[in-house]
Amino acid sequence: MNAQNDQLVDSYDVVVIGGGAAGLNGALMLARSRRSVVVIDAGAPRNAPAEGVHGLLGREGMPPAELLERGRAEVRGYGGQVVSGEVGSVTWAEGDSTTRDAVGFVVELADGRTVRARRVLVATGLVDELPDVPGLRERWGRDVLHCPYCHGWEVRDQAIGVLSSGPMSVHQTLLLRQLSDDITFFTHTMEPPTAEEAEQLAARDIRVVDGEVASLEIVDDRLVGVRMADGSVVSREAVAVAPRLVARVGFLKALGLEAVPHPVGEYVPCDATGRTDEPGVWIAGNATDLSAQVGSAAAAGAFAAAQINADLVAAETRTAVAARRGAGVVEG
């Protein structure tokens, strides 16, 4: 996180929770619409271990920290704010949801600071829950990867192992086969491939190794193999795993919004605009789209922000019309 840290004021049109690509791009759109907006950034981006962002046109290979620093500067350049902090809860102001256009939300940070907002954009991303195999977490984002599109090019033509960990593991294996001729599928503690899956793996010359994986073998800060529970070691230069993907949204419980089950984790549902079931709350990025990469998360943040601005314009227009009628203005 940049040393520069803006100061919170009492209230904003929009509080954006999460300072990654989705949150910053949403804040940028709102600031450019002359909305008062603050980004609350916990400073723990999911892609922090990665050397570079990939598949993002015009920013290919840029270090994640540099991309976010540029984004924060752009938001501030239009009058938006970025504040370090972790959100503990979001509640309706004064506990009243009957006049929501006027009441809005109270966002409370873990350190006790509070701020009011008319609307909230959630862009907190997700947590990658990895299998309990020694070495996986330590090598995560380096020679342990999950997405063939995010990191596959960097391990092309290497000896790649795929650790079975969920319903998408065989699919993940077949995608990686596009990048290397030397792929090994480890069943680990999961059920063995179905007959159809086994036929697919065999047809692509993918070796299947049964048995539990005990750990990764690391020599001179480099992955060299996968150690099995029986003590044998299968030489590998990279390992892919499909983590369980869990949205970071515990702070929304007071609003009645919680993550729901998904075949590969948990997410918060929303409509095509990013609007959740709770009026006034939008969501964008990995917290609702578990497969979103940096570019699509940023685009979703921008689109949700445009919808929030339109929603605020509609509310302001309703207020203006009511005030005009109250003043006795009659059309001629």
Side-chain angles (χ1 to χ4, degrees):
M1 184 77 181
N2 188 351
Q4 181 182 354
N5 188 35
D6 302 326
Q7 296 298 312
L8 279 171
V9 298
D10 291 337
S11 64
Y12 297 86
D13 288 329
V14 186
V15 168
V16 178
I17 306 175
L24 288 172
N25 215 32
L28 180 64
M29 291 289 284
L30 288 161
R32 282 178 51 82
S33 296
R34 306 191 76 176
R35 292 294 175 187
S36 59
V37 58
V38 63
V39 178
I40 309 296
D41 185 4
R46 179 191 181 198
N47 62 355
E51 291 185 358
V53 173
H54 299 292
L56 184 61
L57 188 65
R59 292 291 182 265
E60 173 61 32
M62 175 177 284
E66 181 180 345
L67 180 67
L68 296 182
E69 181 53 39
R70 289 193 181 193
R72 289 189 285 266
E74 289 170 354
V75 169
R76 289 179 171 126
Y78 287 100
Q81 292 180 266
V82 182
V83 173
S84 297
E86 183 176 349
V87 171
S89 67
V90 180
T91 56
W92 280 107
E94 303 167 8
D96 181 6
S97 61
T98 59
T99 55
R100 291 178 174 179
D101 283 350
V103 175
F105 303 89
V106 173
V107 179
E108 182 173 356
L109 277 62
D111 60 11
R113 289 177 293 170
T114 61
V115 62
R116 295 171 69 105
R118 298 171 64 194
R119 302 291 185 270
V120 172
L121 173 57
V122 178
T124 43
L126 58 81
V127 174
D128 295 289
E129 294 184 349
L130 298 173
D132 187 17
V133 173
L136 278 184
R137 175 59 64 183
E138 294 81 356
R139 310 302 299 184
W140 184 242
R142 301 169 66 188
D143 37 27
V144 173
L145 61 141
H146 72 292
C147 174
Y149 301 105
C150 301
H151 308 292
W153 174 265
E154 284 63 44
V155 296
R156 66 194 184 282
D157 297 326
Q158 294 184 22
I160 303 171
V162 180
L163 181 66
S164 182
S165 58
M168 299 300 290
S169 290
V170 169
H171 174 69
Q172 181 186 42
T173 304
L174 294 171
L175 291 178
L176 286 164
R177 179 62 179 80
Q178 174 66 20
L179 297 159
S180 173
D181 295 334
D182 188 355
I183 306 289
T184 298
F185 181 80
F186 296 89
T187 61
H188 188 41
T189 57
M190 305 297 291
E191 291 293 323
T194 65
E196 181 181 4
E197 291 171 336
E199 183 180 28
Q200 292 172 343
L201 295 171
R204 297 306 309 272
D205 297 320
I206 296 169
R207 178 188 177 194
V208 176
V209 175
D210 294 322
E212 185 173 351
V213 170
S215 65
L216 302 186
E217 289 288 294
I218 310 299
V219 175
D220 295 330
D221 197 31
R222 185 170 60 88
L223 174 63
V224 297
V226 173
R227 181 172 293 276
M228 307 300 295
D230 63 9
S232 62
V233 175
V234 180
S235 296
R236 294 290 90 184
E237 297 171 281
V239 167
V241 61
R244 186 169 181 268
L245 310 175
V246 180
R248 298 168 168 165
V249 292
F251 55 87
L252 294 175
K253 286 185 178 179
L255 296 178
L257 280 174
E258 296 188 64
V260 300
H262 183 280
V264 297
E266 298 176 3
Y267 76 111
V268 176
C270 65
D271 68 12
T273 72
R275 189 190 300 262
T276 71
D277 290 339
E278 188 65 20
V281 180
W282 275 257
I283 191 166
N286 282 141
T288 186
D289 182 356
L290 298 178
S291 64
Q293 294 178 271
V294 173
S296 53
F303 188 67
Q307 306 308 308
I308 292 171
N309 182 61
D311 187 60
L312 286 168
V313 167
E316 290 157 355
T317 302
R318 288 193 296 270
T319 299
V321 168
R324 190 169 189 267
R325 290 174 179 173
V329 178
V330 178
E331 296 294 341

